[in-house]
Amino acid sequence: MASRSVNKVILVGNLGRDAETKFTPSGAAVTKFAVATTRSWKEQQSNEWKEETNWTNVVLWRQENLANYLTKGKQVYVEGRLQTRSYDDKDGKKVYTTEVVAEEVILLGGRSESGGVHESPAVATKAGGAGRAGAGGRGGGSEDDFGGMGITDDDVPF
């Protein structure tokens, strides 16, 4: 029997900073951003609610057109794989870093502080493919179709 393994990460959170895109010497675009995910729990002894935020670094290859949409505070769905790598810093010290290499990124709609729907498009990408922009907010009876799938914000269970 062949051995099997799975390396899959799914994150739904908010961008902690605007995405930054740089290019490798061969011209490949590398977009980096951080996603904040928060969990809450009730502490049994004190009966108080506690909250913990985790920051995850994400790397997206060959999708420089998406960086304009990936701005601080936006809610995003990221699907990819976990990768740990090492490099030598400027002082020659070995540094280890763990990040998610994104295969799919989707901007999720959400409500603004004024109660309206954000007007940013839903953006999805498959690794190595071109990004595509879906419909805007649900205002005026139109629905977010998340890349033609006919899914609205109300269909997402979280």
Side-chain angles (χ1 to χ4, degrees):
M1 175 180 249
S3 65
R4 297 181 187 193
S5 64
V6 175
N7 182 353
K8 185 159 191 128
V9 175
I10 296 174
L11 299 171
V12 176
N14 293 80
L15 296 172
R17 63 177 183 266
D18 292 353
E20 294 180 14
T21 300
K22 295 184 180 178
F23 294 87
T24 65
S26 63
V30 183
T31 301
K32 296 183 178 185
F33 54 96
V35 176
T37 53
T38 303
R39 72 180 190 102
S40 300
W41 71 96
K42 194 171 194 176
E43 195 171 79
Q44 291 184 351
Q45 281 88 6
S46 66
N47 212 20
E48 290 182 42
W49 281 96
K50 300 287 183 173
E51 191 172 271
E52 175 183 79
T53 300
N54 187 58
W55 291 92
T56 305
N57 291 322
V58 178
V59 177
L60 178 63
W61 287 89
R62 296 175 199 77
Q63 299 298 324
E64 65 272 16
N65 57 328
L66 297 183
N68 294 331
Y69 298 104
L70 299 173
T71 56
K72 182 178 180 175
K74 295 278 178 93
Q75 189 179 39
V76 67
Y77 168 94
V78 175
E79 187 173 320
R81 62 183 168 83
L82 200 59
Q83 173 179 281
T84 300
R85 60 184 174 85
S86 65
Y87 61 92
D88 294 328
D89 69 6
K90 63 183 176 188
D91 299 324
K93 181 181 172 189
K94 189 166 287 276
V95 178
Y96 293 90
T97 184
T98 301
E99 57 205 4
V100 172
V101 178
E103 295 167 4
E104 187 165 5
V105 174
I106 301 172
L107 282 177
L108 300 176
R111 304 238 174 246
S112 67
E113 290 179 15
S114 63
V117 175
H118 290 298
E119 292 300 321
S120 61
V123 178
T125 181
K126 289 285 187 185
R132 58 187 187 270
R138 290 182 293 168
S142 67
E143 74 178 23
D144 272 337
D145 70 357
F146 290 95
M149 295 185 290
I151 299 173
T152 67
D153 289 349
D154 297 331
D155 297 321
V156 181
F158 42 86

